[in-house]
Amino acid sequence: MIRLAKIDRERRPREVAPGVTLTMRPATSIDVEQAQGEAARVLAPLITAPEALSEFGLEDIVPETGELESLLGLSAYLTSALLMERLVVDWEGVADEAGEALPLDRRSIGMFLLHPGMKEAFDREAYSAVRLEHAEGNGFAALATG
């Protein structure tokens, strides 16, 4: 039997694309559950009162009632955005069309995740520790080393 190194949970710069660095830590299973719960609360009005989201300027992207796949995609996107808000403390190489650095806020996080490949790149780093825990069968271990 082999023993793998301790799972990296340190907050540090992580290059997610050439020239794009996120200073972040990997998510824990608790971070993921909390982000999923918050995403569900944000999306609940789509089912009960879709017009309530128009005040956030979301009327153009709100899927039609009954479009389950669209709702699931929006839920995954919101979960990533909420995780990013929770895990990332700084970024480099993220700018607007004029080359001005973007602030690390909800709007910029949303634009970042909509850029081709960035949601997948962020998710790969964010979920790395959780995936390792589950792969080792230690998802609910009391100690980080199992």
Side-chain angles (χ1 to χ4, degrees):
M1 182 164 121
I2 64 169
R3 186 117 173 114
L4 299 178
K6 185 177 173 183
I7 295 173
D8 177 13
R9 295 195 186 280
E10 296 297 315
R11 177 175 285 138
R12 63 178 174 79
R14 298 165 192 268
E15 187 173 57
V16 295
V20 178
T21 303
L22 303 178
T23 301
M24 62 178 286
R25 66 173 174 80
T28 64
S29 56
I30 293 170
D31 291 323
V32 173
E33 287 178 29
Q34 289 176 341
Q36 289 171 337
E38 190 173 346
R41 285 187 295 280
V42 169
L43 291 176
L46 287 176
I47 297 165
T48 59
E51 66 279 355
L53 292 179
S54 63
E55 66 187 63
F56 294 100
L58 296 175
E59 61 275 350
D60 293 338
I61 65 163
V62 173
E64 295 294 319
T65 303
E67 290 184 33
L68 185 58
E69 285 184 31
S70 295
L71 288 174
L72 291 175
L74 191 53
S75 177
Y77 167 80
L78 279 175
T79 298
S80 291
L82 292 164
L83 265 179
M84 190 167 181
E85 187 176 57
R86 185 181 303 261
L87 304 176
V88 177
V89 296
D90 193 24
W91 59 11
E92 294 178 16
V94 182
D96 63 16
E97 292 176 2
E100 295 294 320
L102 289 173
L104 184 60
D105 60 17
R106 279 191 170 183
R107 183 169 184 78
S108 298
I109 287 171
M111 292 188 306
F112 175 83
L113 292 173
L114 288 173
H115 192 80
M118 291 301 99
K119 180 185 175 305
E120 293 79 9
F122 168 73
D123 284 351
R124 185 174 48 251
E125 289 294 331
Y127 287 96
S128 62
V130 173
R131 288 185 179 130
L132 280 174
E133 286 176 346
H134 288 253
E136 289 179 359
N138 291 329
F140 299 101
L143 301 173
T145 58

PDB file of all heavy atoms in Angstrom, residues 5-6 8 10 13 15 26 29 34 47 50 52 72 85-87 89-90 100-101 103-104 114 121 129 134:
ATOM      1  N   ALA A   5       0.848  12.045  -0.663  1.00  0.00           N
ATOM      2  CA  ALA A   5       1.178  13.256   0.096  1.00  0.00           C
ATOM      3  C   ALA A   5      -0.106  13.930   0.570  1.00  0.00           C
ATOM      4  O   ALA A   5      -1.189  13.724   0.010  1.00  0.00           O
ATOM      5  CB  ALA A   5       1.976  14.212  -0.781  1.00  0.00           C
ATOM      6  N   LYS A   6       0.035  14.723   1.596  1.00  0.00           N
ATOM      7  CA  LYS A   6      -1.090  15.478   2.138  1.00  0.00           C
ATOM      8  C   LYS A   6      -1.713  16.346   1.041  1.00  0.00           C
ATOM      9  O   LYS A   6      -1.012  16.919   0.213  1.00  0.00           O
ATOM     10  CB  LYS A   6      -0.591  16.355   3.284  1.00  0.00           C
ATOM     11  CG  LYS A   6      -1.658  17.098   4.020  1.00  0.00           C
ATOM     12  CD  LYS A   6      -1.047  17.884   5.174  1.00  0.00           C
ATOM     13  CE  LYS A   6      -2.091  18.754   5.810  1.00  0.00           C
ATOM     14  NZ  LYS A   6      -1.517  19.565   6.883  1.00  0.00           N
ATOM     15  N   ASP A   8      -3.042  19.380  -0.866  1.00  0.00           N
ATOM     16  CA  ASP A   8      -2.664  20.794  -0.838  1.00  0.00           C
ATOM     17  C   ASP A   8      -3.889  21.670  -0.611  1.00  0.00           C
ATOM     18  O   ASP A   8      -4.766  21.761  -1.459  1.00  0.00           O
ATOM     19  CB  ASP A   8      -1.983  21.164  -2.156  1.00  0.00           C
ATOM     20  CG  ASP A   8      -1.620  22.640  -2.245  1.00  0.00           C
ATOM     21  OD1 ASP A   8      -1.660  23.349  -1.219  1.00  0.00           O
ATOM     22  OD2 ASP A   8      -1.295  23.079  -3.362  1.00  0.00           O
ATOM     23  N   GLU A  10      -3.360  24.899   0.685  1.00  0.00           N
ATOM     24  CA  GLU A  10      -2.764  26.212   0.910  1.00  0.00           C
ATOM     25  C   GLU A  10      -3.316  27.251  -0.065  1.00  0.00           C
ATOM     26  O   GLU A  10      -3.564  26.957  -1.228  1.00  0.00           O
ATOM     27  CB  GLU A  10      -1.246  26.141   0.751  1.00  0.00           C
ATOM     28  CG  GLU A  10      -0.568  25.269   1.776  1.00  0.00           C
ATOM     29  CD  GLU A  10      -0.741  25.793   3.189  1.00  0.00           C
ATOM     30  OE1 GLU A  10      -0.583  27.006   3.407  1.00  0.00           O
ATOM     31  OE2 GLU A  10      -1.056  24.970   4.074  1.00  0.00           O
ATOM     32  N   PRO A  13      -0.826  31.390  -5.315  1.00  0.00           N
ATOM     33  CA  PRO A  13      -1.128  31.685  -6.721  1.00  0.00           C
ATOM     34  C   PRO A  13      -1.193  30.393  -7.528  1.00  0.00           C
ATOM     35  O   PRO A  13      -0.360  29.498  -7.375  1.00  0.00           O
ATOM     36  CB  PRO A  13       0.057  32.547  -7.169  1.00  0.00           C
ATOM     37  CG  PRO A  13       0.647  33.084  -5.903  1.00  0.00           C
ATOM     38  CD  PRO A  13       0.411  32.016  -4.871  1.00  0.00           C
ATOM     39  N   GLU A  15      -1.835  29.227 -11.591  1.00  0.00           N
ATOM     40  CA  GLU A  15      -2.010  29.660 -12.974  1.00  0.00           C
ATOM     41  C   GLU A  15      -3.113  28.818 -13.615  1.00  0.00           C
ATOM     42  O   GLU A  15      -2.984  27.593 -13.715  1.00  0.00           O
ATOM     43  CB  GLU A  15      -0.711  29.534 -13.753  1.00  0.00           C
ATOM     44  CG  GLU A  15      -0.819  30.139 -15.132  1.00  0.00           C
ATOM     45  CD  GLU A  15       0.509  30.183 -15.853  1.00  0.00           C
ATOM     46  OE1 GLU A  15       1.123  29.100 -16.000  1.00  0.00           O
ATOM     47  OE2 GLU A  15       0.902  31.272 -16.269  1.00  0.00           O
ATOM     48  N   PRO A  26      -7.966  25.650  -2.597  1.00  0.00           N
ATOM     49  CA  PRO A  26      -8.968  24.716  -3.113  1.00  0.00           C
ATOM     50  C   PRO A  26     -10.196  24.680  -2.198  1.00  0.00           C
ATOM     51  O   PRO A  26     -10.110  24.969  -1.008  1.00  0.00           O
ATOM     52  CB  PRO A  26      -8.260  23.363  -3.085  1.00  0.00           C
ATOM     53  CG  PRO A  26      -6.820  23.652  -2.891  1.00  0.00           C
ATOM     54  CD  PRO A  26      -6.732  24.967  -2.201  1.00  0.00           C
ATOM     55  N   SER A  29     -15.371  20.307   0.901  1.00  0.00           N
ATOM     56  CA  SER A  29     -16.728  19.835   0.617  1.00  0.00           C
ATOM     57  C   SER A  29     -17.766  20.778   1.234  1.00  0.00           C
ATOM     58  O   SER A  29     -18.844  20.975   0.676  1.00  0.00           O
ATOM     59  CB  SER A  29     -16.923  18.402   1.111  1.00  0.00           C
ATOM     60  OG  SER A  29     -16.619  18.309   2.486  1.00  0.00           O
ATOM     61  N   GLN A  34     -22.120  24.793   0.525  1.00  0.00           N
ATOM     62  CA  GLN A  34     -22.646  26.132   0.786  1.00  0.00           C
ATOM     63  C   GLN A  34     -22.888  26.897  -0.510  1.00  0.00           C
ATOM     64  O   GLN A  34     -23.899  27.582  -0.652  1.00  0.00           O
ATOM     65  CB  GLN A  34     -21.713  26.904   1.714  1.00  0.00           C
ATOM     66  CG  GLN A  34     -21.744  26.378   3.132  1.00  0.00           C
ATOM     67  CD  GLN A  34     -20.751  27.067   4.058  1.00  0.00           C
ATOM     68  OE1 GLN A  34     -19.793  27.694   3.617  1.00  0.00           O
ATOM     69  NE2 GLN A  34     -20.970  26.926   5.354  1.00  0.00           N
ATOM     70  N   ILE A  47     -38.399  29.620 -10.578  1.00  0.00           N
ATOM     71  CA  ILE A  47     -39.508  28.674 -10.567  1.00  0.00           C
ATOM     72  C   ILE A  47     -40.755  29.326  -9.983  1.00  0.00           C
ATOM     73  O   ILE A  47     -41.852  29.181 -10.514  1.00  0.00           O
ATOM     74  CB  ILE A  47     -39.122  27.417  -9.757  1.00  0.00           C
ATOM     75  CG1 ILE A  47     -37.939  26.726 -10.444  1.00  0.00           C
ATOM     76  CG2 ILE A  47     -40.303  26.472  -9.611  1.00  0.00           C
ATOM     77  CD1 ILE A  47     -37.236  25.716  -9.603  1.00  0.00           C
ATOM     78  N   PRO A  50     -40.326  34.276 -11.719  1.00  0.00           N
ATOM     79  CA  PRO A  50     -39.229  34.661 -12.598  1.00  0.00           C
ATOM     80  C   PRO A  50     -39.104  36.166 -12.817  1.00  0.00           C
ATOM     81  O   PRO A  50     -38.010  36.672 -13.027  1.00  0.00           O
ATOM     82  CB  PRO A  50     -39.531  33.934 -13.914  1.00  0.00           C
ATOM     83  CG  PRO A  50     -40.893  33.393 -13.789  1.00  0.00           C
ATOM     84  CD  PRO A  50     -41.266  33.378 -12.354  1.00  0.00           C
ATOM     85  N   ALA A  52     -39.107  38.422 -10.698  1.00  0.00           N
ATOM     86  CA  ALA A  52     -38.340  39.026  -9.609  1.00  0.00           C
ATOM     87  C   ALA A  52     -36.876  39.238  -9.986  1.00  0.00           C
ATOM     88  O   ALA A  52     -36.209  40.102  -9.425  1.00  0.00           O
ATOM     89  CB  ALA A  52     -38.434  38.173  -8.353  1.00  0.00           C
ATOM     90  N   LEU A  72     -30.104  23.808 -14.886  1.00  0.00           N
ATOM     91  CA  LEU A  72     -28.965  23.078 -14.334  1.00  0.00           C
ATOM     92  C   LEU A  72     -27.654  23.746 -14.730  1.00  0.00           C
ATOM     93  O   LEU A  72     -26.736  23.856 -13.925  1.00  0.00           O
ATOM     94  CB  LEU A  72     -28.982  21.617 -14.786  1.00  0.00           C
ATOM     95  CG  LEU A  72     -30.108  20.760 -14.198  1.00  0.00           C
ATOM     96  CD1 LEU A  72     -30.090  19.375 -14.821  1.00  0.00           C
ATOM     97  CD2 LEU A  72     -30.007  20.680 -12.688  1.00  0.00           C
ATOM     98  N   GLU A  85     -15.929  33.507  -5.554  1.00  0.00           N
ATOM     99  CA  GLU A  85     -16.046  34.635  -4.633  1.00  0.00           C
ATOM    100  C   GLU A  85     -15.511  34.253  -3.239  1.00  0.00           C
ATOM    101  O   GLU A  85     -14.902  35.057  -2.548  1.00  0.00           O
ATOM    102  CB  GLU A  85     -17.508  35.050  -4.561  1.00  0.00           C
ATOM    103  CG  GLU A  85     -17.780  36.307  -3.784  1.00  0.00           C
ATOM    104  CD  GLU A  85     -19.238  36.698  -3.856  1.00  0.00           C
ATOM    105  OE1 GLU A  85     -20.112  35.879  -3.482  1.00  0.00           O
ATOM    106  OE2 GLU A  85     -19.515  37.821  -4.285  1.00  0.00           O
ATOM    107  N   ARG A  86     -15.713  33.021  -2.855  1.00  0.00           N
ATOM    108  CA  ARG A  86     -15.321  32.522  -1.536  1.00  0.00           C
ATOM    109  C   ARG A  86     -13.835  32.151  -1.469  1.00  0.00           C
ATOM    110  O   ARG A  86     -13.203  32.334  -0.433  1.00  0.00           O
ATOM    111  CB  ARG A  86     -16.171  31.279  -1.244  1.00  0.00           C
ATOM    112  CG  ARG A  86     -16.024  30.656   0.093  1.00  0.00           C
ATOM    113  CD  ARG A  86     -16.920  29.425   0.211  1.00  0.00           C
ATOM    114  NE  ARG A  86     -18.309  29.723  -0.025  1.00  0.00           N
ATOM    115  CZ  ARG A  86     -19.220  29.909   0.922  1.00  0.00           C
ATOM    116  NH1 ARG A  86     -18.875  29.797   2.172  1.00  0.00           N
ATOM    117  NH2 ARG A  86     -20.467  30.178   0.622  1.00  0.00           N
ATOM    118  N   LEU A  87     -13.273  31.633  -2.554  1.00  0.00           N
ATOM    119  CA  LEU A  87     -11.930  31.050  -2.529  1.00  0.00           C
ATOM    120  C   LEU A  87     -10.820  31.969  -3.016  1.00  0.00           C
ATOM    121  O   LEU A  87      -9.674  31.843  -2.586  1.00  0.00           O
ATOM    122  CB  LEU A  87     -11.892  29.778  -3.378  1.00  0.00           C
ATOM    123  CG  LEU A  87     -12.880  28.670  -3.037  1.00  0.00           C
ATOM    124  CD1 LEU A  87     -12.770  27.540  -4.045  1.00  0.00           C
ATOM    125  CD2 LEU A  87     -12.678  28.173  -1.626  1.00  0.00           C
ATOM    126  N   VAL A  89      -8.728  35.354  -3.513  1.00  0.00           N
ATOM    127  CA  VAL A  89      -8.484  36.625  -2.820  1.00  0.00           C
ATOM    128  C   VAL A  89      -7.821  37.658  -3.725  1.00  0.00           C
ATOM    129  O   VAL A  89      -7.807  38.849  -3.408  1.00  0.00           O
ATOM    130  CB  VAL A  89      -7.643  36.433  -1.535  1.00  0.00           C
ATOM    131  CG1 VAL A  89      -8.414  35.594  -0.523  1.00  0.00           C
ATOM    132  CG2 VAL A  89      -6.290  35.832  -1.840  1.00  0.00           C
ATOM    133  N   ASP A  90      -7.273  37.224  -4.865  1.00  0.00           N
ATOM    134  CA  ASP A  90      -6.619  38.145  -5.789  1.00  0.00           C
ATOM    135  C   ASP A  90      -6.470  37.463  -7.140  1.00  0.00           C
ATOM    136  O   ASP A  90      -6.506  36.224  -7.223  1.00  0.00           O
ATOM    137  CB  ASP A  90      -5.242  38.544  -5.246  1.00  0.00           C
ATOM    138  CG  ASP A  90      -4.638  39.737  -5.973  1.00  0.00           C
ATOM    139  OD1 ASP A  90      -5.401  40.541  -6.561  1.00  0.00           O
ATOM    140  OD2 ASP A  90      -3.398  39.864  -5.964  1.00  0.00           O
ATOM    141  N   GLU A 100      -7.514  47.580 -18.830  1.00  0.00           N
ATOM    142  CA  GLU A 100      -7.538  47.980 -17.426  1.00  0.00           C
ATOM    143  C   GLU A 100      -7.849  46.759 -16.549  1.00  0.00           C
ATOM    144  O   GLU A 100      -8.768  45.996 -16.847  1.00  0.00           O
ATOM    145  CB  GLU A 100      -8.601  49.050 -17.184  1.00  0.00           C
ATOM    146  CG  GLU A 100      -8.332  50.357 -17.899  1.00  0.00           C
ATOM    147  CD  GLU A 100      -7.091  51.062 -17.371  1.00  0.00           C
ATOM    148  OE1 GLU A 100      -6.882  51.053 -16.139  1.00  0.00           O
ATOM    149  OE2 GLU A 100      -6.336  51.600 -18.196  1.00  0.00           O
ATOM    150  N   ALA A 101      -7.088  46.604 -15.484  1.00  0.00           N
ATOM    151  CA  ALA A 101      -7.315  45.478 -14.572  1.00  0.00           C
ATOM    152  C   ALA A 101      -8.730  45.543 -14.004  1.00  0.00           C
ATOM    153  O   ALA A 101      -9.211  46.607 -13.636  1.00  0.00           O
ATOM    154  CB  ALA A 101      -6.296  45.509 -13.439  1.00  0.00           C
ATOM    155  N   PRO A 103     -11.595  44.660 -11.154  1.00  0.00           N
ATOM    156  CA  PRO A 103     -11.645  44.363  -9.721  1.00  0.00           C
ATOM    157  C   PRO A 103     -12.184  42.951  -9.509  1.00  0.00           C
ATOM    158  O   PRO A 103     -12.897  42.418 -10.360  1.00  0.00           O
ATOM    159  CB  PRO A 103     -12.624  45.405  -9.178  1.00  0.00           C
ATOM    160  CG  PRO A 103     -13.522  45.709 -10.336  1.00  0.00           C
ATOM    161  CD  PRO A 103     -12.654  45.596 -11.559  1.00  0.00           C
ATOM    162  N   LEU A 104     -11.848  42.375  -8.400  1.00  0.00           N
ATOM    163  CA  LEU A 104     -12.347  41.048  -8.057  1.00  0.00           C
ATOM    164  C   LEU A 104     -13.700  41.231  -7.373  1.00  0.00           C
ATOM    165  O   LEU A 104     -13.795  41.327  -6.157  1.00  0.00           O
ATOM    166  CB  LEU A 104     -11.361  40.319  -7.145  1.00  0.00           C
ATOM    167  CG  LEU A 104     -11.686  38.880  -6.775  1.00  0.00           C
ATOM    168  CD1 LEU A 104     -11.779  38.002  -8.014  1.00  0.00           C
ATOM    169  CD2 LEU A 104     -10.633  38.335  -5.828  1.00  0.00           C
ATOM    170  N   LEU A 114     -17.545  33.407 -17.835  1.00  0.00           N
ATOM    171  CA  LEU A 114     -18.176  33.278 -19.152  1.00  0.00           C
ATOM    172  C   LEU A 114     -17.159  33.257 -20.286  1.00  0.00           C
ATOM    173  O   LEU A 114     -17.484  32.853 -21.403  1.00  0.00           O
ATOM    174  CB  LEU A 114     -19.175  34.416 -19.383  1.00  0.00           C
ATOM    175  CG  LEU A 114     -20.462  34.327 -18.568  1.00  0.00           C
ATOM    176  CD1 LEU A 114     -21.291  35.592 -18.753  1.00  0.00           C
ATOM    177  CD2 LEU A 114     -21.267  33.089 -18.940  1.00  0.00           C
ATOM    178  N   ALA A 121     -11.289  25.928 -16.170  1.00  0.00           N
ATOM    179  CA  ALA A 121      -9.967  26.083 -15.555  1.00  0.00           C
ATOM    180  C   ALA A 121     -10.101  26.379 -14.061  1.00  0.00           C
ATOM    181  O   ALA A 121      -9.376  25.810 -13.237  1.00  0.00           O
ATOM    182  CB  ALA A 121      -9.195  27.205 -16.246  1.00  0.00           C
ATOM    183  N   ALA A 129      -8.924  19.423  -4.451  1.00  0.00           N
ATOM    184  CA  ALA A 129      -8.818  18.721  -3.159  1.00  0.00           C
ATOM    185  C   ALA A 129     -10.032  17.832  -2.908  1.00  0.00           C
ATOM    186  O   ALA A 129      -9.896  16.704  -2.429  1.00  0.00           O
ATOM    187  CB  ALA A 129      -8.651  19.730  -2.021  1.00  0.00           C
ATOM    188  N   HIS A 134     -12.375  12.328  -2.518  1.00  0.00           N
ATOM    189  CA  HIS A 134     -13.349  11.326  -2.945  1.00  0.00           C
ATOM    190  C   HIS A 134     -12.666  10.152  -3.642  1.00  0.00           C
ATOM    191  O   HIS A 134     -13.066   9.004  -3.446  1.00  0.00           O
ATOM    192  CB  HIS A 134     -14.406  11.962  -3.831  1.00  0.00           C
ATOM    193  CG  HIS A 134     -15.333  12.844  -3.060  1.00  0.00           C
ATOM    194  ND1 HIS A 134     -16.628  12.507  -2.772  1.00  0.00           N
ATOM    195  CD2 HIS A 134     -15.144  14.057  -2.476  1.00  0.00           C
ATOM    196  CE1 HIS A 134     -17.193  13.463  -2.064  1.00  0.00           C
ATOM    197  NE2 HIS A 134     -16.308  14.412  -1.866  1.00  0.00           N
TER     198      HIS A 134
END
